[in-house]
C-alpha cells in the first residue's frame, strides 16, 4: 500500500482529479460506494496508461448495504462500476449497522477475498470494541482501520490498539478540510518554507499513518504529494501533538462510538 493516498470524497469530477493525481505521483486512490464515483475512478485508471497492478484502489460499503447477501452483491456491483477484476482494499465504511450485520458483512468480505475479488479487507470508523468484536468472532483481524485523524482529533486509544495489533491506520481529513490557519501550523510551515497542508501530511506520515488528503485543485493535488524531501523535527512534532482536543476536535461524522 502506498503511504500517501488520494481521497475522492465529495469529488464530482473524480476522473480528472485522479488523472491529475496520477501525474503528480499518487498511486493510491480512496473511493467508496457512498461517494458515487467508483466508475469515474475506474475510467481514470484506464485512461492513465498505468498498469493496474501498480495502483492501489480502495472502496467501502456503507451501513445501509451491510449484511451478508447485500455485501456479496455490493462487491460485484463495485467491481462492475470500476470495471476491475479486483479491488485492492475493501473497507466496511462504518460500524452503524449493529454487531450482527457488521460481522455478516465482514464474513462476506472475507469470502470475496478468498475468491480473489478483494486483495485486502479492512474497516473504517471502528473503535476498539468493534475491532475486538471481530477478534472474538474468530475472524482474521482487519488489515486496515481508516479513521478521522489529524492534530485536533488524534484518536489515541484506537491508534494505540491498531499499532499493537499490526493494523494499518489510514487518516481521513488529514488536512482538517483546509482549516489550517492555526499558529502552530503556519509557523512550522514558515520555518520549513512549506504549505501548512504539507506540514499536516508530513506529521501524519511521521506518526506512521497513511494520510488521504483530498483536493480537486491541480496545484493542491501536486503540492500535497511533495512531502518526502523534508522532515519535521522533534520540537515540530511535539508542538503539533499538543493540539489534540479528543472527540471535540472531530470535524466529520466520526461514528466511532456506535453501539
Amino acid at each position: 500500500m502506498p503511504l500517501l493516498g488520494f481521497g475522492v470524497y465529495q469529488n464530482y469530477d473524480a476522473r480528472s482529479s485522479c488523472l491529475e493525481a496520477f501525474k503528480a505521483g499518487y498511486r493510491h486512490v480512496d473511493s467508496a460506494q457512498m461517494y458515487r464515483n467508483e466508475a469515474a475512478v475506474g475510467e481514470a485508471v484506464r485512461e492513465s496508461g498505468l498498469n493496474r497492478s501498480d495502483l492501489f484502489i480502495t472502496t467501502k460499503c456503507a451501513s445501509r448495504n451491510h449484511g451478508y447477501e447485500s455485501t456479496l452483491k455490493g462487491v460485484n456491483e463495485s467491481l462492475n462500476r470500476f470495471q476491475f477484476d479486483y479491488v485492492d482494499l475493501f473497507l466496511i465504511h462504518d460500524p452503524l449497522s449493529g454487531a450482527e450485520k457488521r460481522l455478516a458483512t465482514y464474513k462476506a468480505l472475507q469470502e470475496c477475498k478468498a475468491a480473489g475479488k478483494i486483495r485486502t479487507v479492512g474497516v473504517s470508523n471502528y473503535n476498539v470494541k468493534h475491532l475486538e468484536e471481530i477478534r472474538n468472532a474468530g475472524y482474521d483481524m482487519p488489515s486496515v482501520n481508516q479513521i478521522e485523524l489529524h492534530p485536533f482529533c488524534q484518536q489515541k486509544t484506537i491508534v494505540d490498539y491498531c499499532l499493537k495489533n499490526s493494523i494499518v491506520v489510514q487518516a481521513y481529513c488529514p488536512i482538517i478540510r483546509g482549516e489550517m490557519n492555526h499558529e502552530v501550523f503556519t509557523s512550522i510551515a514558515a520555518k520549513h518554507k512549506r504549505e501548512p497542508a504539507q506540514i499536516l501530511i508530513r506529521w501524519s506520515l511521521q506518526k506512521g499513518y497513511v494520510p488521504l488528503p483530498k483536493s480537486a485543485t491541480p496545484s493542491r493535488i501536486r503540492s500535497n504529494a511533495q512531502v518526502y524531501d523534508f522532515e519535521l523535527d522533534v520540537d515540530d512534532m511535539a508542538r503539533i501533538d499538543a493540539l489534540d482536543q479528543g472527540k471535540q476536535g472531530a470535524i466529520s461524522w466520526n461514528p466511532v462510538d456506535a453501539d
Side-chain angles (χ1 to χ4, degrees), residues 13-244:
D13 187 17
R15 177 188 149 276
S16 298
S17 295
C18 286
L19 284 170
E20 193 66 47
F22 294 148
K23 285 180 200 166
Y26 293 88
R27 294 294 180 266
H28 174 183
V29 178
D30 181 72
S31 184
Q33 292 172 347
M34 200 163 67
Y35 301 171
R36 302 189 179 198
N37 54 22
E38 290 169 318
V41 172
E43 200 177 329
V45 168
R46 287 185 295 281
E47 282 187 38
S48 70
L50 297 167
N51 291 329
R52 173 68 184 90
S53 59
D54 292 334
L55 299 172
F56 191 95
I57 310 296
T58 299
T59 195
K60 317 177 191 77
C61 54
S63 54
R64 64 173 177 263
N65 298 324
H66 287 181
Y68 180 76
E69 294 295 342
S70 56
T71 298
L72 294 176
K73 179 171 177 254
V75 169
N76 288 332
E77 288 172 347
S78 285
L79 289 173
N80 287 336
R81 283 190 289 269
F82 280 123
Q83 294 183 38
F84 290 166
D85 296 325
Y86 68 92
V87 171
D88 295 276
L89 174 62
F90 216 115
L91 305 178
I92 298 178
H93 203 150
D94 60 77
L96 296 170
S97 61
E100 185 178 344
K101 276 195 171 181
R102 284 194 295 266
L103 289 173
T105 301
Y106 197 78
K107 178 184 178 186
L109 291 179
Q110 293 282 4
E111 289 182 10
C112 288
K113 179 184 175 186
K117 297 177 180 181
I118 297 169
R119 295 281 171 88
T120 313
V121 175
V123 295
S124 181
N125 297 298
Y126 267 42
N127 212 325
V128 171
K129 68 176 181 179
H130 307 124
L131 295 166
E132 281 290 293
E133 176 181 278
I134 292 171
R135 185 197 297 282
N136 293 337
Y139 293 118
D140 290 341
M141 292 298 277
S143 298
V144 171
N145 188 16
Q146 184 183 127
I147 55 176
E148 177 176 347
L149 191 53
H150 50 77
F152 297 142
C153 181
Q154 295 183 32
Q155 310 256 39
K156 290 176 180 175
T157 303
I158 301 174
V159 167
D160 287 348
Y161 179 93
C162 289
L163 295 180
K164 283 174 188 165
N165 288 277
S166 302
I167 299 170
V168 173
V169 177
Q170 291 186 340
Y172 72 79
C173 296
I175 53 175
I176 326 177
R177 292 185 174 163
E179 296 298 319
M180 300 174 286
N181 56 0
H182 192 285
E183 182 274 333
V184 168
F185 306 145
T186 56
S187 63
I188 294 174
K191 169 182 166 182
H192 290 278
K193 297 183 172 57
R194 296 283 170 163
E195 297 289 331
Q198 293 171 316
I199 299 303
L200 285 164
I201 294 166
R202 186 69 211 177
W203 174 83
S204 195
L205 289 168
Q206 287 184 217
K207 296 290 281 188
Y209 314 146
V210 176
L212 305 166
K214 69 183 188 73
S215 179
T217 308
S219 61
R220 292 286 182 201
I221 292 171
R222 289 191 296 271
S223 67
N224 287 348
Q226 293 164 356
V227 291
Y228 294 105
D229 57 349
F230 76 102
E231 192 168 334
L232 302 178
D233 62 31
V234 172
D235 181 60
D236 297 332
M237 294 295 288
R239 290 177 68 201
I240 297 172
D241 286 349
L243 298 175
D244 190 23

